[in-house]
Amino acid sequence: MKPADIDFMRLALAEAQQAAALGEVPVGAVLVRSGQVIGRGFNQPISSNDPSAHAEMVALRQASLSEGNYRLPDTTLYVTLEPCTMCAGLLVHTRITRLVYGATEPRSGAVISRAQVLAQPWLNHHVEVEGGVLAEECGAVLRDFFRAKREQSQ
């Protein structure tokens, strides 16, 4: 883990809180290059009517538009939850250098928990992975959100 990882993960957690405020699953992401945030996002598929509007996708779209390039080399993506299959593939296509995530996703995580997409030797780009950064805090945001949802439905 690098010294700045915790600080950037805290920014991703702030993004996750924005998702929770909208009733979206609280996942947040920030994309960093040379110590500067160049993209940020939170889950918003419900509010945007866009099934691909995961936190990672939103952050990478924002960065690609501001950078004027669909490739984002020399960057680190911080995300509060282990990416799904769609988002793991996105990291390869955008040439993200490093992924740092918080909580694992045992049901559908595609980095270490299930599909292990980024570990495939046939990929034309490989992403360095660091998991478990602020895992307890990231997981607590999700647990609290779903607990509140369950209580509302009773």
Side-chain angles (χ1 to χ4, degrees):
M1 182 168 43
K2 296 182 180 181
D5 287 350
I6 290 173
D7 295 333
F8 288 121
M9 188 61 76
R10 289 201 191 287
L11 292 178
L13 276 163
E15 293 292 320
Q17 293 295 347
Q18 291 185 62
L22 291 174
E24 302 272 5
V25 174
V27 178
V30 295
L31 185 67
V32 175
R33 178 185 285 137
S34 301
Q36 300 296 313
V37 174
I38 62 170
R40 57 182 68 231
F42 56 86
N43 266 8
Q44 46 195 289
I46 298 166
S47 58
S48 67
N49 294 310
D50 178 357
S52 70
H54 291 193
E56 302 94 323
M57 184 77 75
V58 173
L60 295 177
R61 281 180 180 151
Q62 184 185 88
S64 291
L65 288 171
S66 69
E67 298 284 307
N69 194 342
Y70 73 106
R71 302 274 197 223
L72 298 165
D74 304 316
T75 57
T76 299
L77 180 68
Y78 295 86
V79 62
T80 58
L81 183 65
E82 178 185 357
C84 70
T85 304
M86 175 183 71
C87 292
L90 178 65
L91 302 182
V92 172
H93 288 294
T94 55
R95 306 298 193 264
I96 300 302
T97 303
R98 185 169 176 251
L99 166 67
V100 178
Y101 68 88
T104 56
E105 171 45 291
R107 288 188 205 117
S108 60
V111 176
I112 64 160
S113 295
R114 291 290 177 187
Q116 300 166 357
V117 170
L118 300 178
Q120 300 309 307
W122 44 264
L123 290 173
N124 63 344
H125 175 73
H126 296 280
V127 179
E128 177 187 336
V129 176
E130 174 89 30
V133 174
L134 296 182
E136 183 53 40
E137 290 177 51
C138 294
V141 169
L142 289 156
R143 284 189 301 277
D144 292 348
F145 175 81
F146 286 113
R147 182 179 306 116
K149 286 280 194 199
R150 284 190 301 275
E151 289 170 3
Q152 286 175 352
S153 67
Q154 293 179 359

